[in-house]
Short mmCIF file of all heavy atoms in Angstrom, two decimals:
data_model
loop_
_atom_site.label_atom_id
_atom_site.label_comp_id
_atom_site.label_asym_id
_atom_site.label_seq_id
_atom_site.Cartn_x
_atom_site.Cartn_y
_atom_site.Cartn_z
N PRO F 263 11.25 11.13 8.67
CA PRO F 263 11.08 11.42 10.09
C PRO F 263 9.99 12.46 10.31
O PRO F 263 9.86 13.42 9.54
CB PRO F 263 12.44 11.96 10.51
CG PRO F 263 13.40 11.36 9.55
CD PRO F 263 12.66 11.24 8.25
N THR F 264 9.20 12.29 11.38
CA THR F 264 8.13 13.25 11.67
C THR F 264 8.72 14.61 12.04
O THR F 264 8.16 15.64 11.70
CB THR F 264 7.25 12.75 12.83
OG1 THR F 264 8.09 12.37 13.90
CG2 THR F 264 6.38 11.59 12.40
N PHE F 265 9.87 14.59 12.73
CA PHE F 265 10.48 15.85 13.20
C PHE F 265 10.86 16.72 12.01
O PHE F 265 11.67 16.33 11.17
CB PHE F 265 11.70 15.53 14.06
CG PHE F 265 12.35 16.76 14.65
CD1 PHE F 265 11.83 17.36 15.79
CD2 PHE F 265 13.47 17.33 14.06
CE1 PHE F 265 12.42 18.49 16.33
CE2 PHE F 265 14.06 18.46 14.59
CZ PHE F 265 13.53 19.04 15.73
N GLY F 266 10.28 17.90 11.93
CA GLY F 266 10.59 18.81 10.83
C GLY F 266 10.02 18.35 9.50
O GLY F 266 10.46 18.82 8.45
N GLY F 267 9.05 17.45 9.53
CA GLY F 267 8.56 16.85 8.29
C GLY F 267 7.32 17.51 7.73
O GLY F 267 6.77 18.47 8.28
N ILE F 268 6.86 16.95 6.61
CA ILE F 268 5.67 17.45 5.92
C ILE F 268 4.44 17.33 6.83
O ILE F 268 3.55 18.18 6.83
CB ILE F 268 5.46 16.64 4.62
CG1 ILE F 268 6.67 16.77 3.70
CG2 ILE F 268 4.18 17.07 3.91
CD1 ILE F 268 6.98 18.16 3.25
N GLY F 269 4.38 16.25 7.62
CA GLY F 269 3.23 16.02 8.50
C GLY F 269 3.04 17.16 9.50
O GLY F 269 1.91 17.55 9.80
N GLY F 270 4.13 17.68 10.01
CA GLY F 270 4.05 18.78 10.97
C GLY F 270 3.46 20.02 10.32
O GLY F 270 2.64 20.74 10.93
N GLU F 271 3.86 20.27 9.09
CA GLU F 271 3.33 21.44 8.36
C GLU F 271 1.83 21.29 8.14
O GLU F 271 1.05 22.23 8.35
CB GLU F 271 4.07 21.55 7.01
CG GLU F 271 3.65 22.71 6.16
CD GLU F 271 3.89 24.07 6.82
OE1 GLU F 271 4.85 24.17 7.64
OE2 GLU F 271 3.14 24.99 6.55
N ILE F 272 1.41 20.09 7.75
CA ILE F 272 -0.02 19.85 7.51
C ILE F 272 -0.80 19.97 8.82
O ILE F 272 -1.86 20.61 8.87
CB ILE F 272 -0.22 18.45 6.86
CG1 ILE F 272 0.33 18.48 5.44
CG2 ILE F 272 -1.69 18.06 6.88
CD1 ILE F 272 0.33 17.13 4.75
N ALA F 273 -0.27 19.38 9.90
CA ALA F 273 -0.95 19.43 11.19
C ALA F 273 -1.14 20.86 11.64
O ALA F 273 -2.22 21.25 12.12
CB ALA F 273 -0.14 18.64 12.23
N SER F 274 -0.11 21.66 11.45
CA SER F 274 -0.18 23.05 11.88
C SER F 274 -1.22 23.84 11.07
O SER F 274 -2.06 24.55 11.63
CB SER F 274 1.21 23.68 11.73
OG SER F 274 1.14 25.05 11.99
N ARG F 275 -1.16 23.68 9.77
CA ARG F 275 -2.10 24.43 8.91
C ARG F 275 -3.54 24.01 9.18
O ARG F 275 -4.43 24.86 9.25
CB ARG F 275 -1.79 24.17 7.44
CG ARG F 275 -0.44 24.62 6.99
CD ARG F 275 -0.41 26.12 6.72
NE ARG F 275 0.90 26.46 6.18
CZ ARG F 275 1.08 27.06 5.01
NH1 ARG F 275 0.05 27.42 4.27
NH2 ARG F 275 2.30 27.33 4.58
N ILE F 276 -3.76 22.71 9.33
CA ILE F 276 -5.13 22.23 9.53
C ILE F 276 -5.64 22.62 10.93
O ILE F 276 -6.82 22.92 11.10
CB ILE F 276 -5.21 20.70 9.29
CG1 ILE F 276 -4.95 20.41 7.81
CG2 ILE F 276 -6.54 20.11 9.72
CD1 ILE F 276 -5.93 21.08 6.85
N SER F 277 -4.74 22.64 11.90
CA SER F 277 -5.15 23.09 13.23
C SER F 277 -5.69 24.51 13.16
O SER F 277 -6.67 24.86 13.83
CB SER F 277 -3.96 23.05 14.19
OG SER F 277 -3.54 21.73 14.37
N GLU F 278 -5.04 25.33 12.36
CA GLU F 278 -5.51 26.72 12.21
C GLU F 278 -6.81 26.80 11.43
O GLU F 278 -7.74 27.52 11.80
CB GLU F 278 -4.45 27.54 11.47
CG GLU F 278 -3.37 28.12 12.35
CD GLU F 278 -2.50 29.11 11.60
OE1 GLU F 278 -2.99 30.20 11.28
OE2 GLU F 278 -1.34 28.75 11.30
N ARG F 279 -6.84 26.06 10.33
CA ARG F 279 -7.96 26.23 9.39
C ARG F 279 -9.20 25.46 9.81
O ARG F 279 -10.31 25.79 9.38
CB ARG F 279 -7.53 25.81 7.98
CG ARG F 279 -6.52 26.81 7.41
CD ARG F 279 -5.86 26.34 6.12
NE ARG F 279 -6.78 26.31 4.99
CZ ARG F 279 -6.38 26.32 3.72
NH1 ARG F 279 -5.09 26.40 3.43
NH2 ARG F 279 -7.26 26.26 2.74
N CYS F 280 -9.06 24.41 10.59
CA CYS F 280 -10.21 23.56 10.93
C CYS F 280 -10.40 23.48 12.45
O CYS F 280 -10.94 22.49 12.96
CB CYS F 280 -10.02 22.15 10.37
SG CYS F 280 -9.67 22.10 8.61
N PHE F 281 -9.98 24.51 13.19
CA PHE F 281 -9.95 24.42 14.65
C PHE F 281 -11.30 24.05 15.24
O PHE F 281 -11.41 23.21 16.13
CB PHE F 281 -9.45 25.75 15.23
CG PHE F 281 -9.20 25.72 16.70
CD1 PHE F 281 -8.15 24.98 17.22
CD2 PHE F 281 -10.04 26.39 17.58
CE1 PHE F 281 -7.92 24.93 18.57
CE2 PHE F 281 -9.81 26.34 18.94
CZ PHE F 281 -8.75 25.61 19.45
N TYR F 282 -12.35 24.64 14.72
CA TYR F 282 -13.68 24.41 15.31
C TYR F 282 -14.30 23.09 14.83
O TYR F 282 -15.33 22.67 15.36
CB TYR F 282 -14.60 25.59 15.01
CG TYR F 282 -14.15 26.83 15.74
CD1 TYR F 282 -13.58 27.90 15.07
CD2 TYR F 282 -14.26 26.91 17.14
CE1 TYR F 282 -13.13 29.01 15.75
CE2 TYR F 282 -13.80 28.02 17.82
CZ TYR F 282 -13.24 29.07 17.13
OH TYR F 282 -12.79 30.16 17.81
N SER F 283 -13.70 22.46 13.83
CA SER F 283 -14.21 21.16 13.38
C SER F 283 -13.49 20.00 14.02
O SER F 283 -13.98 18.87 14.00
CB SER F 283 -14.05 21.04 11.85
OG SER F 283 -14.69 22.09 11.20
N LEU F 284 -12.30 20.27 14.56
CA LEU F 284 -11.47 19.16 15.03
C LEU F 284 -11.99 18.57 16.34
O LEU F 284 -12.29 19.30 17.29
CB LEU F 284 -10.02 19.62 15.21
CG LEU F 284 -9.20 19.76 13.92
CD1 LEU F 284 -7.90 20.52 14.18
CD2 LEU F 284 -8.90 18.39 13.33
N GLU F 285 -12.10 17.24 16.37
CA GLU F 285 -12.49 16.50 17.58
C GLU F 285 -11.26 16.03 18.36
O GLU F 285 -11.38 15.59 19.49
CB GLU F 285 -13.32 15.28 17.19
CG GLU F 285 -14.56 15.57 16.40
CD GLU F 285 -15.66 16.22 17.24
OE1 GLU F 285 -15.56 16.17 18.51
OE2 GLU F 285 -16.58 16.78 16.66
N ALA F 286 -10.11 16.06 17.69
CA ALA F 286 -8.87 15.56 18.29
C ALA F 286 -7.71 16.32 17.66
O ALA F 286 -7.86 16.88 16.56
CB ALA F 286 -8.72 14.06 18.01
N PRO F 287 -6.56 16.37 18.34
CA PRO F 287 -5.40 17.01 17.70
C PRO F 287 -4.96 16.21 16.48
O PRO F 287 -5.17 14.99 16.42
CB PRO F 287 -4.33 16.98 18.80
CG PRO F 287 -4.79 16.00 19.80
CD PRO F 287 -6.26 15.87 19.68
N ALA F 288 -4.36 16.91 15.51
CA ALA F 288 -3.78 16.22 14.36
C ALA F 288 -2.63 15.34 14.85
O ALA F 288 -1.84 15.75 15.71
CB ALA F 288 -3.27 17.24 13.34
#
Side-chain angles (χ1 to χ4, degrees):
Chain F
T264 50
F265 183 81
I268 300 299
E271 181 61 30
I272 290 174
S274 173
R275 298 280 185 123
I276 293 301
S277 295
E278 274 190 71
R279 290 170 69 160
C280 307
F281 188 69
Y282 292 109
S283 303
L284 283 167
E285 302 288 344

